[in-house]
Amino acid sequence: IRRVCRKINILFKRVSRLRTERELSRQVLSDKLKALAIYAAAAYFSIEDKQRTVTDIELYGIAKILNASVTELFEKNFFDK
């Protein structure tokens, strides 16, 4: 069970990479999500720190801010370490 739980947040690597490629800090992305009324700033940090999973509305907001499709947030090999 522990091994499976570690894989629950499968988006953090791809989201982090796309955010960095677009030259956005974690704070800026978080602020943009907050401006979209999606959630409080601290919530994004807990996603990228693998402390919680992403909700559907958060996924939509992150994709919109990163100018990516929702499917782009998933990597082909998202179960890799």
Side-chain angles (χ1 to χ4, degrees), residues 2 7 24 54 62 72:
R2 215 176 244 180
K7 299 291 186 179
L24 295 172
V54 181
I62 290 168
E72 282 181 90

Side-chain angles (χ1 to χ4, degrees), residues 12-54:
F12 80 95
K13 285 183 185 177
R14 182 73 171 150
V15 169
S16 179
R17 187 177 311 127
L18 288 171
R19 178 186 54 75
T20 303
E21 286 174 4
R22 285 153 176 77
E23 299 180 353
L24 295 172
S25 69
R26 288 167 46 149
Q27 186 64 53
V28 168
L29 190 122
S30 180
D31 290 345
K32 289 178 179 273
L33 286 167
K34 188 176 177 183
L36 291 174
I38 291 180
Y39 57 67
Y44 177 74
F45 290 93
S46 65
I47 292 169
E48 212 170 290
D49 290 339
K50 300 183 282 182
Q51 294 175 358
R52 70 178 193 81
T53 59
V54 181

